[in-house]
Amino acid sequence: MSIQKVMVVGAGQMGSGIAQVFAQSGYEVILNDLNQEALQKGIRFIEKVLSKDVAKGKITEKNKADALSRLSTSERIKDAGDCDLVVEAIVESMEAKMSVFKELDQIAPKHTILASNTSSLPITEIAAVTNRPEKVIGMHFMNPVPVMKLVEIIRGLATSDETYNTIAYTSKQLNKISVEVNDFPGFVSNRILLPMINEAIYTVYEGVASPEDVDTVMKLGMNHPMGPLQLADFIGLDTCLSIMEVLHEGLGDSKYRPCPLLRKYVKAGWLGKKTARGFYEYS
């Protein structure tokens, strides 16, 4: 199946990044969000990233102009009515995602693939609210999307081979490397990453070391480009907590129990970089 026109639902950092890579790869893209201010912020974010790439000599002014010319915005989900692929990139909430997929199922043409950028929620459960579970799939991009090469492609219980092959081919067209993952909580990336972050939080909670020293150990001792606590701040501590809860509930193993300190920070509104306070303070 050939993908020509794509809608990305959600104009946050992930949605904007996904829209950008599709537009740069020659696809016609609609960036959708209910919030006009979020849409404008998303477009400004894309323009800023492309301008930086021009300044660094990675792309030309024409490349930038061509990408932006393929990009339009929409506040109406019904504009998915002539799209071949819809990628949902909204808040990590099963209730919210199910609501969007139900609506998209009624609007999008029968051939349209419905993909979710969820980082941990079950694709099978999302697909079950549609009349096309064979055309529902996970397309988990990494942040920042224009930079990171990986896409986790998650097959739900009913996802067809045709749908998987189309998304694998499309990922290649985006200059990404994809991996095939079955539908288990956290998939591969977050099933490994988030318990490591949670354990790093436990070392702070138990007084083993300070956040700075924990991160230094992992950067200098394990050659990680960023320490787990700084990374948690960048991901968002609310998102980290949400994923740990999905792992704990979905796999039923106590080793996935979210650290009480993580819960306390989230309750305090210390969510990391986006609120200027997490394990570190940001100006």
Side-chain angles (χ1 to χ4, degrees):
M1 181 189 145
S2 175
I3 304 290
Q4 311 269 329
K5 189 171 184 179
V6 180
M7 176 184 272
V8 179
V9 180
Q13 190 172 353
M14 290 302 292
S16 299
I18 294 165
Q20 179 190 323
V21 298
F22 271 103
Q24 280 189 276
S25 302
Y27 295 90
E28 187 182 347
V29 185
I30 303 171
L31 180 59
N32 171 273
D33 202 292
L34 295 174
N35 187 316
Q36 177 65 31
E37 189 180 334
L39 275 177
Q40 295 310 315
K41 187 178 176 183
I43 292 295
R44 286 196 301 271
F45 175 77
I46 292 168
E47 288 173 342
K48 183 179 174 183
V49 172
L50 291 174
S51 294
K52 279 185 179 177
D53 285 349
V54 171
K56 290 176 183 174
K58 291 182 178 178
I59 62 171
T60 64
E61 278 288 355
K62 185 178 185 307
N63 294 148
K64 174 187 167 183
D66 287 347
L68 291 173
S69 73
R70 288 189 282 266
L71 191 58
S72 61
T73 60
S74 159
E75 293 175 60
R76 306 181 314 160
I77 199 89
K78 66 175 66 172
D79 290 332
D82 62 348
C83 293
D84 305 305
L85 168 65
V86 181
V87 182
E88 165 274 312
I90 64 167
V91 64
E92 192 72 350
S93 154
M94 180 57 85
E95 189 180 351
K97 289 184 191 298
M98 281 180 161
S99 176
V100 166
F101 272 75
K102 269 184 188 174
E103 200 170 356
L104 287 169
D105 190 43
Q106 300 300 314
I107 294 162
K110 289 276 187 272
H111 74 272
T112 305
I113 293 173
L114 305 179
S116 176
N117 181 55
T118 178
S119 53
S120 62
L121 296 172
I123 298 301
T124 301
E125 198 173 333
I126 294 170
V129 302
T130 74
N131 293 307
R132 63 178 93 191
E134 74 285 352
K135 290 193 172 293
V136 177
I137 197 164
M139 201 175 187
H140 181 209
F141 291 85
M142 306 294 132
N143 190 23
V145 181
V147 176
M148 303 296 275
K149 300 292 284 185
L150 179 70
V151 178
E152 273 186 311
I153 302 178
I154 302 100
R155 296 182 78 130
L157 193 61
T159 305
S160 70
D161 288 343
E162 183 190 14
T163 297
Y164 170 78
N165 290 333
T166 300
I167 294 303
Y169 174 78
T170 302
S171 299
K172 195 172 181 182
Q173 298 305 109
L174 300 178
N175 199 28
K176 301 293 184 191
I177 295 168
S178 67
V179 294
E180 181 180 354
V181 180
N182 283 318
D183 193 16
F184 281 83
F187 316 133
V188 170
S189 56
N190 284 320
R191 184 164 175 177
I192 294 170
L193 175 65
L194 263 296
M196 182 189 75
I197 288 174
N198 195 51
E199 199 61 33
I201 297 169
Y202 265 113
T203 63
V204 174
Y205 176 61
E206 293 168 2
V208 179
S210 69
E212 293 83 358
D213 287 347
V214 171
D215 279 354
T216 298
V217 167
M218 296 307 289
K219 285 190 288 185
L220 301 186
M222 314 305 162
N223 206 26
H224 289 199
M226 183 184 290
L229 299 170
Q230 186 185 7
L231 179 55
D233 276 356
F234 276 62
I235 292 168
L237 300 187
D238 52 341
T239 302
C240 292
L241 177 58
S242 171
I243 295 169
M244 285 308 300
E245 287 174 335
V246 168
L247 290 171
H248 192 216
E249 184 184 341
L251 297 168
D253 193 318
S254 62
K255 72 181 179 181
Y256 299 112
R257 183 172 70 95
C259 179
L261 185 61
L262 175 58
R263 290 194 186 279
K264 184 180 283 190
Y265 274 32
V266 171
K267 284 179 180 174
W270 294 5
L271 307 183
K273 195 163 187 277
K274 61 187 170 187
T275 58
R277 179 73 192 261
F279 287 98
Y280 300 93
E281 291 188 33
Y282 304 87
S283 56

